[in-house]
Amino acid sequence: MLEVKQINQFYGGSHILRDVSFTAPMGACSVVLGRNGVGKTTFLKCLMGILPIKSGEILLNGKDISKMSPEQRVRAGLAYVPQGRDIFSTLTVEENILIGMAKFSGAKTKKVPSHLYEIFPVLDEMKHRRGGDLSGGQQQQLAIARALASEPSVLILDEPTEGIQPSIIKDIGRVIRKLADQGDMSIVLVEQFYDFAEEIADYYTVMSRGQVVAEGIGADMPAQGIKDLVAI
Ligand SMILES: Nc1ncnc2c1ncn2[C@@H]1O[C@H](COP(=O)(O)OP(=O)(O)OP(=O)(O)O)[C@@H](O)[C@H]1O
Ligand SMILES: [Mg+2]
């Protein structure tokens, strides 16, 4: 389980995250919602260690990881699917996935585990194609497969539905649900597509101007009027 306690983050003089606290339990999908520019991506970058926090704590299973480098956090069990996907367009699909396995050693780094291709059959069909030749939705699936290749205990996704066609959004939703239901992973999902978020959220957190302004269980989102709170 991932716990965040009152973290603060600044860009220069701008106070971007203000005492943000958050919990992502095992076996659940915890969704972070909020309008453009409220600090969602900054929050995830702080979780991964891409940006250092100014104050507060980030705990993984009770252990403070907030001083660790991004590489150390990946070794500790975090995996990140960044906004915009960031796959390597000149590398093949297979090579992209193998990059996600860099934390392992020996033979394990050389072969993509078959279960990843079972999760995303389209990647199996396209494994020798260049990443840049894939559609946006396929690239998103590739970015998720690359993250899963590190066998994470915390999977962090930044707006995986952004710019993706509805059929692939459904596929991605099914995969996230299945991963959460397996019970051995915490999922942190930043999402602006409200209907998708409501459908998949076990827990929700709403951010506004760098602060948490609402939180609760996913099933209560309609009654709490969360859609209006995050409407653009
Ligand atoms: N490198 C940076 N330097 C300075 N300010 C930044 C930087 N990155 C982001 N910001 C600002 O910090 C705030 C939070 O940005 P962030 O990207 O975390 O928002 P977001 O909630 O992810 O937005 P979106 O929904 O558009 O992805 C915004 O006001 C943004 O302009
Ligand atoms: Mg963002």
Side-chain angles (χ1 to χ4, degrees), residues 17 22 30-44 83 157-159 162 189-195 197-198 203-215 221 226-232:
L17 298 180
F22 171 84
S30 302
V31 177
V32 179
L33 300 107
R35 296 188 174 111
N36 286 111
V38 298
K40 304 180 301 294
T41 296
T42 302
F43 174 61
L44 298 188
Q83 188 168 14
L157 305 113
D158 197 349
E159 300 204 36
E162 200 177 22
L189 173 69
V190 160
E191 191 47 75
Q192 282 207 69
F193 177 11
Y194 177 81
D195 293 344
E198 186 192 286
Y203 302 97
Y204 72 90
T205 297
V206 181
M207 284 177 63
S208 177
R209 295 185 186 179
Q211 281 181 303
V212 173
V213 293
E215 59 191 345
M221 288 170 72
I226 302 304
K227 188 167 191 169
D228 293 333
L229 204 56
V230 297
I232 297 157

mmCIF file of all heavy atoms in Angstrom, residues 17 22 30-44 83 157-159 162 189-195 197-198 203-215 221 226-232:
data_model
loop_
_atom_site.group_PDB
_atom_site.id
_atom_site.type_symbol
_atom_site.label_atom_id
_atom_site.label_comp_id
_atom_site.label_asym_id
_atom_site.label_seq_id
_atom_site.Cartn_x
_atom_site.Cartn_y
_atom_site.Cartn_z
ATOM 1 N N LEU A 17 1.825 21.814 -4.927
ATOM 2 C CA LEU A 17 1.116 20.813 -4.107
ATOM 3 C C LEU A 17 1.088 21.307 -2.676
ATOM 4 O O LEU A 17 2.128 21.680 -2.121
ATOM 5 C CB LEU A 17 1.803 19.445 -4.184
ATOM 6 C CG LEU A 17 1.868 18.773 -5.560
ATOM 7 C CD1 LEU A 17 2.592 17.426 -5.457
ATOM 8 C CD2 LEU A 17 0.482 18.578 -6.167
ATOM 9 N N PHE A 22 -2.831 11.183 0.733
ATOM 10 C CA PHE A 22 -3.487 10.266 -0.208
ATOM 11 C C PHE A 22 -3.102 8.844 0.175
ATOM 12 O O PHE A 22 -1.981 8.602 0.630
ATOM 13 C CB PHE A 22 -2.968 10.610 -1.611
ATOM 14 C CG PHE A 22 -3.340 9.652 -2.704
ATOM 15 C CD1 PHE A 22 -4.565 9.745 -3.347
ATOM 16 C CD2 PHE A 22 -2.445 8.669 -3.122
ATOM 17 C CE1 PHE A 22 -4.892 8.886 -4.384
ATOM 18 C CE2 PHE A 22 -2.769 7.801 -4.154
ATOM 19 C CZ PHE A 22 -3.997 7.912 -4.784
ATOM 20 N N SER A 30 -7.354 3.520 -7.169
ATOM 21 C CA SER A 30 -7.562 4.825 -6.530
ATOM 22 C C SER A 30 -7.412 5.900 -7.591
ATOM 23 O O SER A 30 -6.336 6.051 -8.175
ATOM 24 C CB SER A 30 -6.541 5.036 -5.418
ATOM 25 O OG SER A 30 -6.643 3.989 -4.470
ATOM 26 N N VAL A 31 -8.487 6.610 -7.845
ATOM 27 C CA VAL A 31 -8.506 7.564 -8.953
ATOM 28 C C VAL A 31 -8.327 8.987 -8.430
ATOM 29 O O VAL A 31 -8.954 9.382 -7.443
ATOM 30 C CB VAL A 31 -9.832 7.455 -9.736
ATOM 31 C CG1 VAL A 31 -9.887 8.485 -10.852
ATOM 32 C CG2 VAL A 31 -9.998 6.055 -10.317
ATOM 33 N N VAL A 32 -7.464 9.737 -9.101
ATOM 34 C CA VAL A 32 -7.256 11.150 -8.781
ATOM 35 C C VAL A 32 -7.858 11.975 -9.914
ATOM 36 O O VAL A 32 -7.476 11.804 -11.075
ATOM 37 C CB VAL A 32 -5.756 11.472 -8.633
ATOM 38 C CG1 VAL A 32 -5.554 12.959 -8.328
ATOM 39 C CG2 VAL A 32 -5.117 10.601 -7.555
ATOM 40 N N LEU A 33 -8.810 12.836 -9.565
ATOM 41 C CA LEU A 33 -9.466 13.667 -10.570
ATOM 42 C C LEU A 33 -9.154 15.139 -10.320
ATOM 43 O O LEU A 33 -8.790 15.522 -9.213
ATOM 44 C CB LEU A 33 -10.989 13.487 -10.500
ATOM 45 C CG LEU A 33 -11.552 12.094 -10.723
ATOM 46 C CD1 LEU A 33 -12.039 11.513 -9.418
ATOM 47 C CD2 LEU A 33 -12.675 12.132 -11.730
ATOM 48 N N GLY A 34 -9.352 15.926 -11.357
ATOM 49 C CA GLY A 34 -9.161 17.367 -11.208
ATOM 50 C C GLY A 34 -9.038 18.012 -12.570
ATOM 51 O O GLY A 34 -8.638 17.363 -13.531
ATOM 52 N N ARG A 35 -9.362 19.294 -12.633
ATOM 53 C CA ARG A 35 -9.322 20.000 -13.908
ATOM 54 C C ARG A 35 -7.882 20.192 -14.370
ATOM 55 O O ARG A 35 -6.939 19.900 -13.635
ATOM 56 C CB ARG A 35 -10.005 21.362 -13.748
ATOM 57 C CG ARG A 35 -11.494 21.240 -13.422
ATOM 58 C CD ARG A 35 -12.169 22.608 -13.467
ATOM 59 N NE ARG A 35 -13.600 22.476 -13.305
ATOM 60 C CZ ARG A 35 -14.277 22.881 -12.224
ATOM 61 N NH1 ARG A 35 -13.645 23.467 -11.215
ATOM 62 N NH2 ARG A 35 -15.575 22.727 -12.162
ATOM 63 N N ASN A 36 -7.722 20.748 -15.564
ATOM 64 C CA ASN A 36 -6.389 20.998 -16.119
ATOM 65 C C ASN A 36 -5.555 21.870 -15.193
ATOM 66 O O ASN A 36 -6.045 22.875 -14.678
ATOM 67 C CB ASN A 36 -6.489 21.720 -17.470
ATOM 68 C CG ASN A 36 -6.962 20.796 -18.572
ATOM 69 O OD1 ASN A 36 -8.052 20.948 -19.073
ATOM 70 N ND2 ASN A 36 -6.163 19.831 -18.922
ATOM 71 N N GLY A 37 -4.308 21.467 -15.020
ATOM 72 C CA GLY A 37 -3.347 22.323 -14.341
ATOM 73 C C GLY A 37 -3.459 22.378 -12.830
ATOM 74 O O GLY A 37 -2.822 23.216 -12.191
ATOM 75 N N VAL A 38 -4.221 21.470 -12.211
ATOM 76 C CA VAL A 38 -4.381 21.529 -10.746
ATOM 77 C C VAL A 38 -3.220 20.862 -10.000
ATOM 78 O O VAL A 38 -3.115 20.986 -8.781
ATOM 79 C CB VAL A 38 -5.708 20.889 -10.265
ATOM 80 C CG1 VAL A 38 -6.901 21.635 -10.848
ATOM 81 C CG2 VAL A 38 -5.778 19.404 -10.579
ATOM 82 N N GLY A 39 -2.372 20.125 -10.748
ATOM 83 C CA GLY A 39 -1.208 19.510 -10.109
ATOM 84 C C GLY A 39 -1.192 17.989 -10.123
ATOM 85 O O GLY A 39 -0.385 17.368 -9.414
ATOM 86 N N LYS A 40 -2.022 17.371 -10.947
ATOM 87 C CA LYS A 40 -2.119 15.904 -10.956
ATOM 88 C C LYS A 40 -0.807 15.251 -11.412
ATOM 89 O O LYS A 40 -0.314 14.326 -10.771
ATOM 90 C CB LYS A 40 -3.285 15.440 -11.862
ATOM 91 C CG LYS A 40 -4.632 16.043 -11.488
ATOM 92 C CD LYS A 40 -5.749 15.574 -12.395
ATOM 93 C CE LYS A 40 -5.565 15.895 -13.861
ATOM 94 N NZ LYS A 40 -5.594 17.353 -14.178
ATOM 95 N N THR A 41 -0.286 15.739 -12.536
ATOM 96 C CA THR A 41 0.966 15.153 -13.047
ATOM 97 C C THR A 41 2.121 15.442 -12.093
ATOM 98 O O THR A 41 2.967 14.579 -11.838
ATOM 99 C CB THR A 41 1.266 15.690 -14.465
ATOM 100 O OG1 THR A 41 0.224 15.252 -15.331
ATOM 101 C CG2 THR A 41 2.606 15.190 -14.984
ATOM 102 N N THR A 42 2.126 16.640 -11.541
ATOM 103 C CA THR A 42 3.172 16.989 -10.560
ATOM 104 C C THR A 42 3.118 16.018 -9.380
ATOM 105 O O THR A 42 4.164 15.541 -8.907
ATOM 106 C CB THR A 42 2.946 18.434 -10.070
ATOM 107 O OG1 THR A 42 2.974 19.301 -11.201
ATOM 108 C CG2 THR A 42 4.004 18.846 -9.061
ATOM 109 N N PHE A 43 1.914 15.707 -8.941
ATOM 110 C CA PHE A 43 1.741 14.755 -7.835
ATOM 111 C C PHE A 43 2.353 13.394 -8.195
ATOM 112 O O PHE A 43 3.116 12.810 -7.405
ATOM 113 C CB PHE A 43 0.241 14.623 -7.524
ATOM 114 C CG PHE A 43 -0.090 13.579 -6.498
ATOM 115 C CD1 PHE A 43 0.399 13.674 -5.211
ATOM 116 C CD2 PHE A 43 -0.884 12.495 -6.834
ATOM 117 C CE1 PHE A 43 0.099 12.704 -4.256
ATOM 118 C CE2 PHE A 43 -1.204 11.521 -5.898
ATOM 119 C CZ PHE A 43 -0.699 11.627 -4.602
ATOM 120 N N LEU A 44 2.057 12.909 -9.394
ATOM 121 C CA LEU A 44 2.601 11.594 -9.795
ATOM 122 C C LEU A 44 4.120 11.646 -9.927
ATOM 123 O O LEU A 44 4.816 10.687 -9.563
ATOM 124 C CB LEU A 44 1.977 11.137 -11.123
ATOM 125 C CG LEU A 44 0.463 10.916 -11.119
ATOM 126 C CD1 LEU A 44 0.020 10.279 -12.435
ATOM 127 C CD2 LEU A 44 0.013 10.053 -9.936
ATOM 128 N N GLN A 83 1.913 10.626 -18.715
ATOM 129 C CA GLN A 83 0.954 11.299 -19.599
ATOM 130 C C GLN A 83 1.626 11.471 -20.965
ATOM 131 O O GLN A 83 2.775 11.894 -21.051
ATOM 132 C CB GLN A 83 0.618 12.671 -19.001
ATOM 133 C CG GLN A 83 -0.497 13.392 -19.709
ATOM 134 C CD GLN A 83 -1.005 14.604 -18.904
ATOM 135 O OE1 GLN A 83 -0.359 15.044 -17.958
ATOM 136 N NE2 GLN A 83 -2.153 15.113 -19.293
ATOM 137 N N LEU A 157 -0.753 5.539 -13.313
ATOM 138 C CA LEU A 157 -1.095 5.880 -14.699
ATOM 139 C C LEU A 157 -1.601 7.312 -14.784
ATOM 140 O O LEU A 157 -2.477 7.720 -14.015
ATOM 141 C CB LEU A 157 -2.199 4.954 -15.228
ATOM 142 C CG LEU A 157 -1.954 3.448 -15.149
ATOM 143 C CD1 LEU A 157 -2.915 2.825 -14.149
ATOM 144 C CD2 LEU A 157 -2.133 2.795 -16.506
ATOM 145 N N ASP A 158 -1.048 8.066 -15.755
ATOM 146 C CA ASP A 158 -1.448 9.461 -15.921
ATOM 147 C C ASP A 158 -2.300 9.608 -17.185
ATOM 148 O O ASP A 158 -1.784 9.577 -18.296
ATOM 149 C CB ASP A 158 -0.203 10.353 -16.003
ATOM 150 C CG ASP A 158 -0.531 11.833 -15.771
ATOM 151 O OD1 ASP A 158 -1.722 12.198 -15.755
ATOM 152 O OD2 ASP A 158 0.429 12.619 -15.605
ATOM 153 N N GLU A 159 -3.599 9.762 -17.011
ATOM 154 C CA GLU A 159 -4.565 9.970 -18.094
ATOM 155 C C GLU A 159 -4.391 8.995 -19.267
ATOM 156 O O GLU A 159 -4.165 9.420 -20.408
ATOM 157 C CB GLU A 159 -4.491 11.422 -18.584
ATOM 158 C CG GLU A 159 -4.808 12.404 -17.452
ATOM 159 C CD GLU A 159 -5.314 13.754 -17.956
ATOM 160 O OE1 GLU A 159 -6.029 13.767 -18.962
ATOM 161 O OE2 GLU A 159 -4.990 14.763 -17.319
ATOM 162 N N GLU A 162 -6.473 9.626 -22.579
ATOM 163 C CA GLU A 162 -6.353 10.892 -23.310
ATOM 164 C C GLU A 162 -6.079 10.637 -24.802
ATOM 165 O O GLU A 162 -5.058 10.033 -25.156
ATOM 166 C CB GLU A 162 -5.192 11.693 -22.697
ATOM 167 C CG GLU A 162 -5.217 13.159 -22.992
ATOM 168 C CD GLU A 162 -4.063 13.896 -22.274
ATOM 169 O OE1 GLU A 162 -3.046 13.262 -21.921
ATOM 170 O OE2 GLU A 162 -4.192 15.108 -22.094
ATOM 171 N N LEU A 189 -4.603 6.050 -10.491
ATOM 172 C CA LEU A 189 -5.018 6.443 -11.833
ATOM 173 C C LEU A 189 -5.430 7.910 -11.839
ATOM 174 O O LEU A 189 -6.418 8.281 -11.201
ATOM 175 C CB LEU A 189 -6.199 5.568 -12.271
ATOM 176 C CG LEU A 189 -6.885 5.920 -13.586
ATOM 177 C CD1 LEU A 189 -5.978 5.643 -14.770
ATOM 178 C CD2 LEU A 189 -8.185 5.133 -13.742
ATOM 179 N N VAL A 190 -4.648 8.734 -12.551
ATOM 180 C CA VAL A 190 -5.082 10.115 -12.779
ATOM 181 C C VAL A 190 -5.963 10.122 -14.013
ATOM 182 O O VAL A 190 -5.602 9.539 -15.042
ATOM 183 C CB VAL A 190 -3.859 11.041 -12.966
ATOM 184 C CG1 VAL A 190 -4.264 12.339 -13.671
ATOM 185 C CG2 VAL A 190 -3.228 11.371 -11.624
ATOM 186 N N GLU A 191 -7.124 10.747 -13.911
ATOM 187 C CA GLU A 191 -8.061 10.654 -15.041
ATOM 188 C C GLU A 191 -8.939 11.900 -15.111
ATOM 189 O O GLU A 191 -9.426 12.375 -14.103
ATOM 190 C CB GLU A 191 -8.916 9.391 -14.868
ATOM 191 C CG GLU A 191 -9.733 9.008 -16.070
ATOM 192 C CD GLU A 191 -8.944 9.022 -17.378
ATOM 193 O OE1 GLU A 191 -8.137 8.108 -17.638
ATOM 194 O OE2 GLU A 191 -9.169 9.966 -18.139
ATOM 195 N N GLN A 192 -9.124 12.417 -16.332
ATOM 196 C CA GLN A 192 -10.062 13.541 -16.518
ATOM 197 C C GLN A 192 -11.339 13.112 -17.208
ATOM 198 O O GLN A 192 -12.296 13.888 -17.280
ATOM 199 C CB GLN A 192 -9.404 14.656 -17.334
ATOM 200 C CG GLN A 192 -8.458 15.477 -16.512
ATOM 201 C CD GLN A 192 -8.332 16.891 -17.057
ATOM 202 O OE1 GLN A 192 -9.250 17.693 -16.999
ATOM 203 N NE2 GLN A 192 -7.163 17.195 -17.592
ATOM 204 N N PHE A 193 -11.371 11.901 -17.749
ATOM 205 C CA PHE A 193 -12.569 11.375 -18.411
ATOM 206 C C PHE A 193 -13.467 10.839 -17.294
ATOM 207 O O PHE A 193 -13.281 9.747 -16.788
ATOM 208 C CB PHE A 193 -12.141 10.294 -19.403
ATOM 209 C CG PHE A 193 -13.261 9.603 -20.130
ATOM 210 C CD1 PHE A 193 -14.579 10.070 -20.093
ATOM 211 C CD2 PHE A 193 -12.993 8.475 -20.883
ATOM 212 C CE1 PHE A 193 -15.586 9.420 -20.767
ATOM 213 C CE2 PHE A 193 -14.005 7.807 -21.566
ATOM 214 C CZ PHE A 193 -15.301 8.277 -21.513
ATOM 215 N N TYR A 194 -14.446 11.677 -16.894
ATOM 216 C CA TYR A 194 -15.200 11.384 -15.675
ATOM 217 C C TYR A 194 -15.901 10.026 -15.702
ATOM 218 O O TYR A 194 -15.854 9.268 -14.728
ATOM 219 C CB TYR A 194 -16.232 12.496 -15.370
ATOM 220 C CG TYR A 194 -17.029 12.114 -14.158
ATOM 221 C CD1 TYR A 194 -16.515 12.329 -12.880
ATOM 222 C CD2 TYR A 194 -18.245 11.450 -14.274
ATOM 223 C CE1 TYR A 194 -17.200 11.907 -11.753
ATOM 224 C CE2 TYR A 194 -18.936 11.022 -13.156
ATOM 225 C CZ TYR A 194 -18.405 11.250 -11.900
ATOM 226 O OH TYR A 194 -19.067 10.815 -10.787
ATOM 227 N N ASP A 195 -16.589 9.717 -16.797
ATOM 228 C CA ASP A 195 -17.381 8.473 -16.832
ATOM 229 C C ASP A 195 -16.497 7.246 -16.652
ATOM 230 O O ASP A 195 -16.858 6.289 -15.959
ATOM 231 C CB ASP A 195 -18.167 8.366 -18.147
ATOM 232 C CG ASP A 195 -19.240 9.449 -18.232
ATOM 233 O OD1 ASP A 195 -19.566 10.050 -17.188
ATOM 234 O OD2 ASP A 195 -19.734 9.701 -19.342
ATOM 235 N N ALA A 197 -13.610 7.262 -15.084
ATOM 236 C CA ALA A 197 -13.141 7.302 -13.689
ATOM 237 C C ALA A 197 -14.198 6.742 -12.744
ATOM 238 O O ALA A 197 -13.902 5.927 -11.860
ATOM 239 C CB ALA A 197 -12.791 8.746 -13.300
ATOM 240 N N GLU A 198 -15.446 7.158 -12.956
ATOM 241 C CA GLU A 198 -16.512 6.699 -12.060
ATOM 242 C C GLU A 198 -16.696 5.188 -12.149
ATOM 243 O O GLU A 198 -16.919 4.506 -11.147
ATOM 244 C CB GLU A 198 -17.834 7.403 -12.408
ATOM 245 C CG GLU A 198 -18.941 7.082 -11.428
ATOM 246 C CD GLU A 198 -20.307 7.529 -11.913
ATOM 247 O OE1 GLU A 198 -20.572 8.741 -11.886
ATOM 248 O OE2 GLU A 198 -21.107 6.662 -12.320
ATOM 249 N N TYR A 203 -11.776 4.013 -5.058
ATOM 250 C CA TYR A 203 -11.660 5.211 -4.217
ATOM 251 C C TYR A 203 -11.385 6.396 -5.122
ATOM 252 O O TYR A 203 -10.790 6.241 -6.184
ATOM 253 C CB TYR A 203 -10.499 5.067 -3.209
ATOM 254 C CG TYR A 203 -10.653 3.862 -2.327
ATOM 255 C CD1 TYR A 203 -9.995 2.680 -2.626
ATOM 256 C CD2 TYR A 203 -11.493 3.902 -1.208
ATOM 257 C CE1 TYR A 203 -10.155 1.553 -1.827
ATOM 258 C CE2 TYR A 203 -11.660 2.789 -0.404
ATOM 259 C CZ TYR A 203 -10.990 1.614 -0.720
ATOM 260 O OH TYR A 203 -11.167 0.503 0.058
ATOM 261 N N TYR A 204 -11.834 7.563 -4.709
ATOM 262 C CA TYR A 204 -11.546 8.756 -5.509
ATOM 263 C C TYR A 204 -10.983 9.860 -4.638
ATOM 264 O O TYR A 204 -11.245 9.925 -3.428
ATOM 265 C CB TYR A 204 -12.806 9.256 -6.234
ATOM 266 C CG TYR A 204 -13.816 9.896 -5.314
ATOM 267 C CD1 TYR A 204 -13.772 11.274 -5.039
ATOM 268 C CD2 TYR A 204 -14.807 9.146 -4.694
ATOM 269 C CE1 TYR A 204 -14.683 11.870 -4.182
ATOM 270 C CE2 TYR A 204 -15.720 9.732 -3.830
ATOM 271 C CZ TYR A 204 -15.653 11.093 -3.577
ATOM 272 O OH TYR A 204 -16.551 11.676 -2.717
ATOM 273 N N THR A 205 -10.165 10.704 -5.286
ATOM 274 C CA THR A 205 -9.617 11.902 -4.659
ATOM 275 C C THR A 205 -9.747 13.017 -5.683
ATOM 276 O O THR A 205 -9.382 12.823 -6.844
ATOM 277 C CB THR A 205 -8.118 11.698 -4.325
ATOM 278 O OG1 THR A 205 -8.008 10.629 -3.378
ATOM 279 C CG2 THR A 205 -7.483 12.957 -3.752
ATOM 280 N N VAL A 206 -10.284 14.150 -5.281
ATOM 281 C CA VAL A 206 -10.378 15.290 -6.194
ATOM 282 C C VAL A 206 -9.384 16.353 -5.763
ATOM 283 O O VAL A 206 -9.330 16.725 -4.583
ATOM 284 C CB VAL A 206 -11.802 15.897 -6.215
ATOM 285 C CG1 VAL A 206 -11.879 17.072 -7.186
ATOM 286 C CG2 VAL A 206 -12.840 14.839 -6.575
ATOM 287 N N MET A 207 -8.598 16.835 -6.743
ATOM 288 C CA MET A 207 -7.660 17.924 -6.474
ATOM 289 C C MET A 207 -8.144 19.205 -7.123
ATOM 290 O O MET A 207 -8.749 19.187 -8.189
ATOM 291 C CB MET A 207 -6.267 17.588 -7.038
ATOM 292 C CG MET A 207 -5.499 16.585 -6.202
ATOM 293 S SD MET A 207 -3.908 16.165 -6.952
ATOM 294 C CE MET A 207 -3.099 17.759 -6.914
ATOM 295 N N SER A 208 -7.855 20.307 -6.455
ATOM 296 C CA SER A 208 -8.103 21.625 -7.020
ATOM 297 C C SER A 208 -6.994 22.542 -6.530
ATOM 298 O O SER A 208 -6.708 22.584 -5.334
ATOM 299 C CB SER A 208 -9.478 22.129 -6.572
ATOM 300 O OG SER A 208 -9.677 23.437 -7.060
ATOM 301 N N ARG A 209 -6.344 23.226 -7.456
ATOM 302 C CA ARG A 209 -5.233 24.138 -7.115
ATOM 303 C C ARG A 209 -4.255 23.531 -6.131
ATOM 304 O O ARG A 209 -3.904 24.165 -5.119
ATOM 305 C CB ARG A 209 -5.774 25.444 -6.560
ATOM 306 C CG ARG A 209 -6.568 26.204 -7.589
ATOM 307 C CD ARG A 209 -6.966 27.531 -7.035
ATOM 308 N NE ARG A 209 -7.839 28.248 -7.929
ATOM 309 C CZ ARG A 209 -8.338 29.435 -7.665
ATOM 310 N NH1 ARG A 209 -8.056 30.031 -6.535
ATOM 311 N NH2 ARG A 209 -9.120 30.031 -8.528
ATOM 312 N N GLY A 210 -3.862 22.294 -6.396
ATOM 313 C CA GLY A 210 -2.806 21.678 -5.597
ATOM 314 C C GLY A 210 -3.247 21.122 -4.262
ATOM 315 O O GLY A 210 -2.419 20.664 -3.472
ATOM 316 N N GLN A 211 -4.576 21.149 -4.016
ATOM 317 C CA GLN A 211 -5.065 20.623 -2.741
ATOM 318 C C GLN A 211 -6.092 19.526 -2.959
ATOM 319 O O GLN A 211 -6.803 19.540 -3.966
ATOM 320 C CB GLN A 211 -5.754 21.731 -1.940
ATOM 321 C CG GLN A 211 -4.798 22.653 -1.235
ATOM 322 C CD GLN A 211 -5.553 23.694 -0.442
ATOM 323 O OE1 GLN A 211 -6.356 24.433 -0.996
ATOM 324 N NE2 GLN A 211 -5.295 23.762 0.850
ATOM 325 N N VAL A 212 -6.192 18.627 -1.993
ATOM 326 C CA VAL A 212 -7.275 17.644 -2.019
ATOM 327 C C VAL A 212 -8.535 18.335 -1.502
ATOM 328 O O VAL A 212 -8.542 18.873 -0.390
ATOM 329 C CB VAL A 212 -6.930 16.420 -1.139
ATOM 330 C CG1 VAL A 212 -8.122 15.478 -1.038
ATOM 331 C CG2 VAL A 212 -5.714 15.690 -1.714
ATOM 332 N N VAL A 213 -9.596 18.322 -2.344
ATOM 333 C CA VAL A 213 -10.830 19.009 -1.935
ATOM 334 C C VAL A 213 -11.995 18.049 -1.705
ATOM 335 O O VAL A 213 -13.031 18.447 -1.177
ATOM 336 C CB VAL A 213 -11.241 20.104 -2.950
ATOM 337 C CG1 VAL A 213 -10.215 21.231 -2.951
ATOM 338 C CG2 VAL A 213 -11.412 19.537 -4.353
ATOM 339 N N ALA A 214 -11.834 16.786 -2.124
ATOM 340 C CA ALA A 214 -12.883 15.783 -1.864
ATOM 341 C C ALA A 214 -12.261 14.404 -1.995
ATOM 342 O O ALA A 214 -11.309 14.205 -2.757
ATOM 343 C CB ALA A 214 -14.032 15.926 -2.858
ATOM 344 N N GLU A 215 -12.774 13.449 -1.238
ATOM 345 C CA GLU A 215 -12.322 12.061 -1.384
ATOM 346 C C GLU A 215 -13.370 11.133 -0.810
ATOM 347 O O GLU A 215 -14.234 11.551 -0.024
ATOM 348 C CB GLU A 215 -10.955 11.843 -0.707
ATOM 349 C CG GLU A 215 -10.922 12.157 0.763
ATOM 350 C CD GLU A 215 -9.494 12.184 1.316
ATOM 351 O OE1 GLU A 215 -8.570 11.705 0.665
ATOM 352 O OE2 GLU A 215 -9.329 12.697 2.432
ATOM 353 N N MET A 221 -19.464 8.440 -5.782
ATOM 354 C CA MET A 221 -19.168 9.585 -6.654
ATOM 355 C C MET A 221 -20.417 10.254 -7.223
ATOM 356 O O MET A 221 -20.499 11.490 -7.208
ATOM 357 C CB MET A 221 -18.194 9.177 -7.780
ATOM 358 C CG MET A 221 -16.776 8.950 -7.273
ATOM 359 S SD MET A 221 -15.681 8.211 -8.508
ATOM 360 C CE MET A 221 -15.431 9.591 -9.626
ATOM 361 N N ILE A 226 -19.557 14.526 -7.862
ATOM 362 C CA ILE A 226 -18.146 14.703 -8.268
ATOM 363 C C ILE A 226 -18.033 15.145 -9.727
ATOM 364 O O ILE A 226 -17.131 15.889 -10.094
ATOM 365 C CB ILE A 226 -17.348 13.399 -8.006
ATOM 366 C CG1 ILE A 226 -17.420 13.000 -6.522
ATOM 367 C CG2 ILE A 226 -15.889 13.559 -8.431
ATOM 368 C CD1 ILE A 226 -16.947 14.064 -5.559
ATOM 369 N N LYS A 227 -18.987 14.705 -10.556
ATOM 370 C CA LYS A 227 -18.923 15.079 -11.975
ATOM 371 C C LYS A 227 -18.948 16.601 -12.142
ATOM 372 O O LYS A 227 -18.177 17.163 -12.914
ATOM 373 C CB LYS A 227 -20.085 14.433 -12.742
ATOM 374 C CG LYS A 227 -19.972 14.611 -14.246
ATOM 375 C CD LYS A 227 -20.927 13.706 -14.984
ATOM 376 C CE LYS A 227 -20.611 13.712 -16.478
ATOM 377 N NZ LYS A 227 -21.335 12.664 -17.206
ATOM 378 N N ASP A 228 -19.813 17.274 -11.385
ATOM 379 C CA ASP A 228 -19.895 18.731 -11.483
ATOM 380 C C ASP A 228 -18.637 19.401 -10.932
ATOM 381 O O ASP A 228 -18.198 20.436 -11.432
ATOM 382 C CB ASP A 228 -21.120 19.253 -10.705
ATOM 383 C CG ASP A 228 -22.418 18.800 -11.361
ATOM 384 O OD1 ASP A 228 -22.393 18.569 -12.586
ATOM 385 O OD2 ASP A 228 -23.431 18.658 -10.651
ATOM 386 N N LEU A 229 -18.056 18.744 -9.933
ATOM 387 C CA LEU A 229 -16.860 19.306 -9.299
ATOM 388 C C LEU A 229 -15.655 19.340 -10.251
ATOM 389 O O LEU A 229 -14.793 20.208 -10.136
ATOM 390 C CB LEU A 229 -16.525 18.428 -8.069
ATOM 391 C CG LEU A 229 -15.733 18.993 -6.920
ATOM 392 C CD1 LEU A 229 -16.388 20.241 -6.366
ATOM 393 C CD2 LEU A 229 -15.604 17.937 -5.828
ATOM 394 N N VAL A 230 -15.613 18.377 -11.175
ATOM 395 C CA VAL A 230 -14.448 18.298 -12.071
ATOM 396 C C VAL A 230 -14.790 18.688 -13.511
ATOM 397 O O VAL A 230 -13.927 18.638 -14.372
ATOM 398 C CB VAL A 230 -13.801 16.882 -12.044
ATOM 399 C CG1 VAL A 230 -13.289 16.581 -10.657
ATOM 400 C CG2 VAL A 230 -14.762 15.807 -12.520
ATOM 401 N N ALA A 231 -16.062 19.071 -13.756
ATOM 402 C CA ALA A 231 -16.485 19.402 -15.116
ATOM 403 C C ALA A 231 -15.643 20.566 -15.665
ATOM 404 O O ALA A 231 -15.343 21.510 -14.938
ATOM 405 C CB ALA A 231 -17.960 19.782 -15.137
ATOM 406 N N ILE A 232 -15.280 20.427 -16.923
ATOM 407 C CA ILE A 232 -14.402 21.438 -17.534
ATOM 408 C C ILE A 232 -15.212 22.608 -18.085
ATOM 409 O O ILE A 232 -16.256 22.421 -18.660
ATOM 410 C CB ILE A 232 -13.539 20.792 -18.656
ATOM 411 C CG1 ILE A 232 -12.637 19.720 -18.019
ATOM 412 C CG2 ILE A 232 -12.687 21.825 -19.360
ATOM 413 C CD1 ILE A 232 -12.165 18.676 -18.986
#
